[in-house]
């Protein structure tokens, strides 16, 4: 039987209730933001990276829906002790699989989480002299999506101002 | 039963209390109303009311009696002014499209406010594709329609004006009488429609006093069953049907009448009007307890809509800053408090409630909004429980937001 999947399977609900690695990281090596509160979704990712380019710790903060919270949470777990090169390969599809699936309306929440991760990795190498060959210059799908959402938010805010909102 | 959601339900196990406040989107039906409806499914009056047999005659009588009751509560002149149709959405579609198509030859302009429900605004969007010109009147920070702007906009070309008597999201009691006078002064021929779904049974609403042409009522908003509503059509006002088929007792809505639901709506009306003033005072008391309890206990909150007598007695709409509304509704649900939010995350569109945006709320404020409506059936204990749950839920969600900055 096919039916519209519910946004919240047990795994998501569990991660929503007890998110892992929640909160600001004071000694983070890099921090990245994705999304915009205008759209109702915004994430901050914090990574602690060691000299071997391995993620020692990751944490997040999220202004978003339960799917957003759950996917962010699972990403921080997936990338712990991972080499940046491997973390870079994580796609939004893998993340959605890891939380047990999401309906299509909630895909963007998971994409945003991965977008924040990739931005963090990119930012990390921006501060270095050279970046590794696996780091594509072109934005990844997730980074592009995050950018698109941010642009949309900007457009909406601009339109509202133009309409002379009080 | 509930096979597919059993995990979600499990997460709700062991709740010590549950309070349903999402009356905007559906409602529980009290026992008395269910009991009034039950025999009409299979005991009697299950026939088609236009047919000549006993179960049909019984149904005819039941429908006429229900019309009569609602006509009395509305202050109708004749019971033919009461037209049943399946719910607020259908009734608003009927009112707007029916009026627009009837008046087509006389002009093209339709006037609504920016904060009408989507069953009005989406219909006017559609009508604008069929050559009608739609003008939306702005509202102020509390949701009151700008009457000067209304006077500017309405002209001889205006065929239809639709303004809610009470706003469905923020409870603003609109100056409908003044609005109607302005409209009729400019153009006596224009049809004046009001969606009174949030007014009927909540504020004094008498169609003869107000002299509106059309008014929408919704059954579930007064704790009747879903799927039934009324379009009041003033005697002498003509509007077209928007569906065709076999006409029964309801000349504006073809098809077989749903007698049990009609009876349920009439019963719910009786209960709402049995002690109207008492019910209103009760709702006001609970409303203010809820508003004061939240605004007094939690920082960074904003009440959306006016206060006191200018606000519907049942409506509570509050924005919690730094708190995304969808996450908050789930957290509240897990604690037995059922509400809805104007957040974009609860919708398929990327935009938050158009009502909150129209009253000048920032998007981040609208995303953190929670809408609750109290009813005559809620108790002080219910509200105490809600006031116990909300601060903890808000604190937890704000903890997840952390240092994410709101622009
Ligand atoms: S964060 Fe807005 S829908 Fe998930």
């Amino acid at each position: 039987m096919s039916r519209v999947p519910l946004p919240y399977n047990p795994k998501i609900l569990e991660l929503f209730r007890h998110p892992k690695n929640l909160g600001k990281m004071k000694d983070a090596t890099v921090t990245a933001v994705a999304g915009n509160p205008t759209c109702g979704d915004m994430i901050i990712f914090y990574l602690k990276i060691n000299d071997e380019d391995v993620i020692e710790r990751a944490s997040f903060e999220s202004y978003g829906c339960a799917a957003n919270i759950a996917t962010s949470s699972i990403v921080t777990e997936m990338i712990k002790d991972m080499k940046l090169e491997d973390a870079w390969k994580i796609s939004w599809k893998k993340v959605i699989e890891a939380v047990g699936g999401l309906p299509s309306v909630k895909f963007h929440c998971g994409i945003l989480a991965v977008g924040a991760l990739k931005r963090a990795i990119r930012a990390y190498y921006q501060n270095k002299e050279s970046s590794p060959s696996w780091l594509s210059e072109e934005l990844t799908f997730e980074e592009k999506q995050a950018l698109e959402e941010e642009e949309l938010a900007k457009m909406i805010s601009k339109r509202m101002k133009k309409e002379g909102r009080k | 039963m509930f096979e597919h959601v059993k995990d979600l339900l499990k997460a709700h196990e062991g709740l010590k209390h549950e309070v349903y406040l999402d009356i905007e989107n559906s409602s529980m039906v009290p026992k008395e109303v269910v009991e009034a409806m039950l025999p009409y499914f299979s005991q009697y009056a299950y026939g088609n009311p236009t047919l000549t047999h006993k179960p049909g005659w019984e149904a005819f009588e039941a429908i006429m009696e229900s019309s009569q009751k609602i006509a009395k509560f509305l202050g109708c002149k004749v019971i033919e002014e009461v037209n049943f149709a399946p719910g607020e959405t259908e009734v608003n579609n009927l009112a707007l499209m029916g009026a627009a198509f009837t008046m087509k030859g006389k002009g093209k302009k339709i006037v609504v406010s920016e904060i009408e429900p989507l069953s009005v605004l989406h219909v006017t969007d559609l009508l604008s594709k069929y050559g009608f010109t739609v003008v939306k009147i702005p509202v102020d920070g509390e949701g009151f329609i700008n009457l000067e702007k209304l006077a500017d906009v309405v002209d001889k070309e205006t065929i239809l004006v639709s303004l809610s008597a009470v706003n469905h999201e923020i409870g603003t009691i609109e100056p409908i009488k003044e609005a109607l006078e302005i409209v009729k002064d400019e153009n006596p021929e224009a049809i004046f429609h009001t969606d009174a779904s949030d007014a009927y049974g909540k504020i004094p609403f008498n169609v003869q006093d107000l002299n509106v042409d059309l008014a929408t009522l919704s059954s579930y908003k007064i704790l009747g069953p879903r799927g039934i509503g009324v379009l009041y059509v003033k005697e002498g006002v003509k509007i077209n049907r928007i569906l065709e088929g076999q006409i029964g007792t309801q000349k504006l809505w073809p098809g077989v009448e749903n007698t049990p639901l009609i009876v349920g709506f009439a019963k719910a009306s009786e209960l709402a009007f049995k002690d109207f003033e008492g019910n209103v005072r009760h709702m006001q008391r609970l409303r203010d307890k809820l508003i004061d309890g939240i605004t007094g206990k939690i920082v960074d909150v904003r009440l959306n809509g006016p206060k006191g007598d200018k606000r519907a007695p049942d409506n509570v709409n509050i924005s919690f800053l730094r708190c995304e509304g969808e996450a908050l509704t789930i957290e509240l649900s897990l604690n037995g408090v059922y509400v809805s939010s104007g957040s974009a995350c609860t919708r398929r569109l990327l935009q938050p409630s158009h009502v909150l945006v129209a009253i000048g709320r920032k998007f981040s404020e609208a995303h953190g909004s929670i809408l609750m409506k109290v009813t005559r059936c809620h108790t002080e204990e219910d509200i105490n429980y809600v006031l116990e749950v909300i601060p903890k839920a808000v604190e937890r969600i704000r903890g997840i937001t952390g240092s994410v900055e709101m622009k």
Side-chain angles (χ1 to χ4, degrees):
Chain A
M1 185 178 62
S2 95
R3 43 179 269 155
V4 181
L6 278 171
Y8 302 123
N9 64 48
K11 181 113 195 208
I12 295 192
L13 207 59
E14 178 52 31
L15 288 171
F16 167 69
R17 300 178 88 178
H18 308 289
K20 304 272 160 38
N21 306 314
L22 176 67
K24 193 172 182 152
M25 191 191 291
K26 292 227 174 66
D27 57 344
T29 322
V30 273
T31 302
V33 180
N36 186 310
T38 300
C39 287
D41 327 331
M42 187 158 166
I43 309 176
I44 309 182
F45 255 71
Y46 303 92
L47 304 183
K48 177 77 186 163
I49 301 167
N50 70 15
D51 295 340
E52 265 98 70
D53 285 2
V54 171
I55 300 169
E56 277 184 348
R57 278 178 286 131
S59 73
F60 79 98
E61 292 176 310
S62 154
Y63 176 78
C65 72
N68 190 300
I69 294 164
T71 48
S72 302
S73 169
I74 212 151
V75 168
T76 61
E77 285 185 282
M78 288 164 81
I79 60 177
K80 191 172 157 32
D81 298 326
M82 217 180 227
K83 281 188 90 66
L84 287 177
E85 182 176 358
D86 296 324
W88 182 257
K89 287 187 203 131
I90 291 177
S91 72
W92 66 276
K93 285 189 184 137
K94 258 192 226 159
V95 170
I96 286 173
E97 225 176 84
V99 292
L102 278 176
S104 56
V105 277
K106 294 281 177 184
F107 281 177
H108 75 274
C109 320
I111 296 172
L112 207 62
V114 180
L117 167 68
K118 297 205 167 160
R119 273 188 184 169
I121 297 176
R122 196 182 284 285
Y124 173 73
Y125 286 113
Q126 238 147 39
N127 303 331
K128 305 247 154 188
E129 310 216 311
S130 65
S131 41
S133 56
W134 50 262
L135 190 82
S136 57
E137 225 161 83
E138 201 199 325
L139 293 183
T140 56
F141 172 75
E142 293 88 351
E143 289 168 290
K144 275 189 207 148
Q145 289 288 307
L147 201 63
E148 218 170 84
E149 189 176 315
E150 288 150 9
E151 297 284 302
L152 181 69
K154 249 188 255 155
M155 228 177 61
I156 295 172
S157 320
K158 229 194 258 152
R159 197 173 64 215
M160 313 264 322
K161 272 193 207 114
K162 247 222 237 91
E163 278 173 21
R165 280 274 91 82
K166 344 129 247 201
Chain B
M1 201 170 49
F2 300 132
E3 188 46 36
H4 292 88
V5 291
K6 63 173 191 301
D7 297 302
L8 287 175
L9 299 191
K10 218 195 224 131
H12 290 76
E13 265 168 24
L15 288 171
K16 66 172 192 222
H17 197 61
E18 289 177 87
V19 187
Y20 184 89
L21 297 169
D22 190 18
I23 312 300
E24 169 56 17
N25 295 301
S26 181
S27 72
M28 62 290 201
V29 183
K31 203 163 129 250
E32 303 103 291
V33 176
V34 175
E35 274 165 9
M37 287 162 59
L38 276 180
Y40 291 85
F41 284 100
S42 46
Q43 239 169 292
Y44 43 71
Y46 42 77
N48 186 317
T50 36
L51 289 182
T52 44
H53 45 52
K54 181 170 155 253
W57 290 319
E58 287 167 345
F60 182 85
E61 172 67 17
I63 291 167
M64 288 308 131
E65 218 181 279
S66 301
S67 306
Q68 217 148 26
K69 284 176 187 163
I70 293 173
K72 190 184 91 202
F73 298 132
L74 266 181
C76 295
K77 259 194 239 136
V78 292
I79 70 165
E80 287 75 18
E81 293 175 331
V82 172
N83 297 273
F84 290 104
E88 185 182 354
T89 299
E90 290 84 346
V91 174
N92 280 341
N93 271 264
L94 169 62
L96 276 95
M97 285 200 246
F101 293 141
T102 312
M103 300 285 287
K104 210 168 88 212
K106 301 200 170 132
K108 281 199 300 209
K109 196 191 272 185
I110 298 173
V111 179
V112 294
S113 87
E114 283 183 336
I115 60 170
E116 295 308 309
L118 295 181
S119 55
V120 167
L121 293 180
H122 285 179
V123 179
T124 54
D125 286 349
L126 181 68
L127 288 169
S128 69
K129 291 191 190 125
Y130 286 96
F132 293 95
T133 318
V134 178
V135 182
K136 289 182 192 159
I137 304 290
V139 297
D140 69 11
E142 293 187 326
F144 292 103
I145 38 174
N146 186 327
L147 292 174
E148 277 166 36
K149 192 74 202 263
L150 181 69
D152 276 357
V153 162
V154 176
D155 56 15
K156 293 277 178 262
E157 267 284 293
T158 306
I159 51 168
L160 170 65
V161 177
S162 175
L163 299 168
S164 287
V166 168
N167 182 264
H168 59 297
E169 277 191 34
I170 55 173
T172 313
I173 300 177
E174 300 290 353
I176 286 302
K177 204 172 175 132
E178 288 85 337
L180 182 124
E181 275 159 19
I182 289 170
V183 170
K184 296 286 175 176
D185 263 2
E186 299 286 337
N187 183 1
E189 278 199 67
I191 291 185
F192 192 98
H193 166 252
T194 183
D195 184 340
S197 301
D198 279 85
Y200 182 65
K202 318 257 172 86
I203 63 165
F205 183 83
N206 183 300
V207 285
Q208 270 194 65
D209 282 358
L210 288 169
N211 204 20
V212 294
D213 298 310
L214 307 172
T216 296
L217 309 183
S218 156
S219 156
Y220 79 71
K221 288 205 166 164
I222 56 156
L223 307 184
R226 273 145 287 155
I228 191 75
V230 158
L231 181 64
Y232 159 82
V233 182
K234 187 163 84 182
E235 196 180 25
V237 172
K238 290 259 170 313
I239 68 163
N240 282 14
R241 276 191 293 278
I242 57 169
L243 298 180
E244 291 303 336
Q246 174 134 317
I247 303 297
T249 59
Q250 306 302 309
K251 56 187 188 303
L252 289 176
W253 202 268
V256 184
E257 296 81 347
N258 198 329
T259 312
L261 297 190
I262 290 173
V263 169
F265 188 9
K267 180 70 186 180
S269 301
E270 276 181 328
L271 294 171
F273 287 97
K274 203 165 95 194
D275 176 17
F276 178 75
E277 272 93 36
N279 287 337
V280 168
R281 269 197 308 274
H282 177 74
M283 288 188 275
Q284 271 167 343
R285 201 163 46 235
L286 298 187
R287 172 197 71 184
D288 292 340
K289 186 180 167 105
L290 198 48
I291 292 176
D292 296 343
I294 292 170
T295 53
K297 261 194 216 169
I298 306 178
V299 296
D300 291 339
V301 296
R302 309 227 188 303
L303 177 69
N304 298 313
K307 272 194 191 143
D309 289 345
K310 291 180 166 176
R311 185 181 194 97
D314 59 337
N315 181 294
V316 178
N317 187 326
I318 292 179
S319 288
F320 298 88
L321 303 188
R322 289 179 292 109
C323 197
E324 194 282 307
E326 199 242 34
L328 184 56
T329 59
I330 296 173
E331 181 67 8
L332 291 172
S333 176
L334 293 169
N335 288 287
V337 174
Y338 311 124
V339 303
S340 67
S341 168
S343 163
C345 295
T346 61
R347 297 152 187 251
R348 272 155 198 269
L349 324 152
L350 253 163
Q351 293 196 14
S353 150
H354 67 282
V355 176
L356 297 180
V357 173
I359 63 168
R361 287 292 182 237
K362 293 200 200 95
F363 273 41
S364 51
E365 291 169 334
H367 291 309
S369 69
I370 294 292
L371 171 57
M372 301 173 267
K373 289 184 187 175
V374 296
T375 68
R376 61 179 179 80
C377 295
H378 286 104
T379 64
E380 297 269 338
E381 288 75 63
D382 289 335
I383 303 306
N384 287 337
Y385 181 71
V386 175
L387 288 175
E388 202 180 291
V389 165
I390 289 186
K392 288 185 216 150
V394 170
E395 199 188 306
R396 192 177 90 80
I397 302 302
R398 282 182 176 170
I400 300 175
T401 306
S403 52
V404 173
E405 248 175 80
M406 301 296 124
K407 273 163 245 164

